[in-house]
Amino acid sequence: MAESAVVEETGEPALRRVMGPKLLLLFVAGDIIGTGVYALTGQVASRVGGALWLPFLIAFVVAFMTAFSYLELVGKYPKAAGAALYTNRAFKKPFFTFMVAFAVMCSGITSASSAAVAFSNTYLRSFVDWPGWLIAPLFVVGLALINFRGVSESVKANVVLTFIELSGLLIIIGVGAWAVLNGKGDAGRLVEIDTANSSWLVAVTSATSLAFFAMVGFEDSVNMAEECKDPVRIFPKAMLWGMVIAATIYVLVALTSSLLVPPGDLAAAKSDALLKVLDIGAPGFPREIFSGIGLFAVINSALINMLMASRLLYGMANEKIIPKQLGIVHRGRRTPWVSIVFTSLIAIILVSTVDISVLGGTTALLLLVVFAVVNVAVLVLRKEKVGHKHFRTPTAVPVLAAVFCLYLASPLSGRPVRDYVVAAILLAAGLLLWLVNRFLLARETSSSST
């Protein structure tokens, strides 16, 4: 595609197609691996006990099944906007589409916000004790500047940061293997499930509902479809292999953590759980090195999530579901700068007001509901044919995935009430935005007819 290409429907310049299969694979893996495992391992342990690996494995299975639905849909409709685009095509209900889009945008922003809080309140404190109320908003501003600079620069930054964050988790796995070989660790903890406050089923599903936050990210990549080279061909392998790589590392980290540290100690450590593992497995290892890696990990997660949120709004503006101003592209940088500013402002508000555990739980809740909708949409859209070959998932997969997603999103899974409260507040804000948008559109129509 020529650099001067313009989207016919909007008159705006087209986005640059800079991502090939390798960059896309790193984008998927880098988006999944990050804040979740670095910041929430201790909280997952507090819900399930020593069988810490099990919630991560179940979360992977549910996410993996949902990924098949995304792959079929991105193969049919290789455009930005992802879940919102699929919802709009399947159900043709503008309000429902808007709320799905707003939920996905909020999930990306809450995820990035949790990374900003982890950056300022956890790993950065190994170096300097600066106030989180100042650092977290500045962190978001820095992400916005990188995002505005261009997707090419952002994706290149993602490549570097992905390898750095992978090195941190490989250190944890290596430390665990060395410690076990030297007689440390308690294998009996790997099958212990904490039933002190609930049944084993609720303990596992409650932990899974939080661990699911660590597996999200694969869905972000579909919002980059217009910036990929030949997306129909490269998406299936890149997305599925990226998920398998991330899940394998997660399960190994969880096994290592449970072997070396009692679940109560992991829970008490909270966001510093992996540092606790390092202290026990390799007491002489400099904490500052791992803290530095942790900083890069949360930066990477936040960067990709903010990329996703801004591209989603850009795509929805092109679909004429939200104001067209959100689809404005900077002529020089070829990036959707209005959407970048809008999503960054929301993130700054969140990092200034909400706790990291609430941000993680709310992110997982919003995405589980969205994933259920996508799994239904892929079946509805089977009746809509396209003129090119694309990936097709077995019908049973989206059916089962929808059921599992709805269960994990429901109170039956043991999900805390506070997750629903924060999600309701965010969606209420979306409803208000919808009403304001409808009013402005009505005024515009009235003005043009007089």
Side-chain angles (χ1 to χ4, degrees):
M1 179 177 292
E3 288 297 308
S4 59
V6 174
V7 178
E8 292 181 4
E9 295 87 347
T10 63
E12 292 293 325
L15 302 182
R16 283 198 178 101
R17 294 188 180 272
V18 300
M19 297 177 67
K22 293 179 181 178
L23 280 179
L24 182 59
L25 173 64
L26 289 170
F27 185 95
V28 173
D31 198 4
I32 298 173
I33 299 169
T35 305
V37 70
Y38 273 93
L40 296 178
T41 297
Q43 295 181 45
V44 175
S46 71
R47 296 188 183 187
V48 73
L52 180 59
W53 57 273
L54 186 57
F56 286 105
L57 181 61
I58 296 173
F60 163 69
V61 171
V62 176
F64 197 71
M65 289 192 296
T66 300
F68 279 82
S69 294
Y70 272 94
L71 287 174
E72 178 169 336
L73 291 168
V74 77
K76 291 179 73 172
Y77 317 109
K79 297 181 179 179
L85 170 64
Y86 313 144
T87 303
N88 192 42
R89 283 184 172 272
F91 305 108
K92 300 185 182 353
K93 301 291 184 183
F95 175 70
F96 185 48
T97 299
F98 176 82
M99 293 308 292
V100 168
F102 196 80
V104 175
M105 185 198 72
C106 287
S107 72
I109 296 173
T110 52
S111 180
S113 299
S114 67
V117 174
F119 178 91
S120 60
N121 293 345
T122 303
Y123 294 109
L124 186 63
R125 291 192 183 277
S126 295
F127 304 98
V128 292
D129 191 16
W130 290 343
W133 62 264
L134 174 64
I135 299 302
L138 289 178
F139 177 82
V140 174
V141 172
L143 295 176
L145 293 175
I146 297 173
N147 197 347
F148 172 74
R149 174 70 183 172
V151 70
S152 178
E153 289 78 2
S154 299
V155 171
K156 289 174 183 176
N158 168 65
V159 171
V160 175
L161 295 173
T162 295
F163 282 113
I164 291 174
E165 67 188 7
L166 278 173
S167 70
L169 298 180
L170 292 176
I171 287 172
I172 294 294
I173 295 169
V175 163
W178 175 259
V180 170
L181 289 174
N182 283 275
K184 293 183 180 180
D186 181 359
R189 283 198 290 262
L190 298 179
V191 293
E192 292 177 356
I193 296 176
D194 184 4
T195 57
N197 300 314
S198 61
S199 67
W200 69 268
L201 178 61
V202 172
V204 171
T205 55
S206 175
T208 301
S209 68
L210 182 57
F212 198 82
F213 171 63
M215 274 308 305
V216 300
F218 68 91
E219 78 286 349
D220 290 352
S221 61
V222 302
N223 293 294
M224 308 299 291
E226 292 185 39
E227 290 161 286
C228 288
K229 303 171 184 176
D230 196 3
V232 175
R233 181 181 62 84
I234 70 174
F235 255 93
K237 285 185 178 180
M239 182 182 287
L240 296 180
W241 273 112
M243 295 181 72
V244 168
I245 291 169
T248 300
I249 292 172
Y250 277 3
V251 170
L252 290 174
V253 168
L255 288 169
T256 298
S257 301
S258 292
L259 279 169
L260 297 183
V261 185
D265 292 347
L266 286 173
K270 296 183 179 179
S271 297
D272 289 330
L274 295 187
L275 285 171
K276 185 74 173 178
V277 174
L278 195 65
D279 289 342
I280 292 177
F285 192 93
R287 277 181 132 227
E288 290 78 10
I289 293 178
F290 189 81
S291 293
I293 293 172
L295 286 177
F296 286 115
V298 296
I299 289 171
N300 197 33
S301 292
L303 174 60
I304 296 177
N305 276 289
M306 294 306 287
L307 270 170
M308 178 277 292
S310 61
R311 268 49 178 191
L312 186 150
L313 287 185
Y314 161 82
M316 292 310 298
N318 285 345
E319 289 289 315
K320 299 179 175 63
I321 293 173
I322 57 177
K324 62 182 180 181
Q325 288 80 5
L326 288 168
I328 294 175
V329 175
H330 191 272
R331 295 279 170 177
R333 299 310 314 169
R334 302 277 291 279
T335 50
W337 71 272
V338 176
S339 293
I340 292 170
V341 171
F342 184 81
T343 52
S344 298
L345 288 174
I346 296 177
I348 289 172
I349 294 171
L350 285 173
V351 300
S352 303
T353 57
V354 183
D355 181 74
I356 185 172
S357 62
V358 179
L359 290 169
T362 303
T363 301
L365 171 60
L366 290 168
L367 283 178
L368 281 165
V369 174
V370 170
F371 289 171
V373 172
V374 170
N375 282 310
V376 174
V378 74
L379 299 175
V380 173
L381 288 170
R382 288 278 170 86
K383 63 186 179 184
E384 188 174 299
K385 307 300 180 184
V386 294
H388 59 269
K389 292 183 179 180
H390 60 85
F391 181 91
R392 182 183 172 97
T393 183
T395 301
V397 174
V399 173
L400 290 173
V403 172
F404 291 145
C405 287
L406 288 174
Y407 177 77
L408 290 174
S410 75
L412 295 174
S413 68
R415 180 175 292 279
V417 174
R418 63 185 182 179
D419 291 356
Y420 298 103
V421 173
V422 176
I425 293 172
L426 288 171
L427 294 179
L431 174 60
L432 179 61
L433 181 59
W434 166 262
L435 293 174
V436 170
N437 184 47
R438 294 284 291 180
F439 173 73
L440 293 176
L441 288 176
R443 285 190 60 183
E444 183 178 321
T445 302
S446 176
S447 298
S448 62
S449 63
T450 57

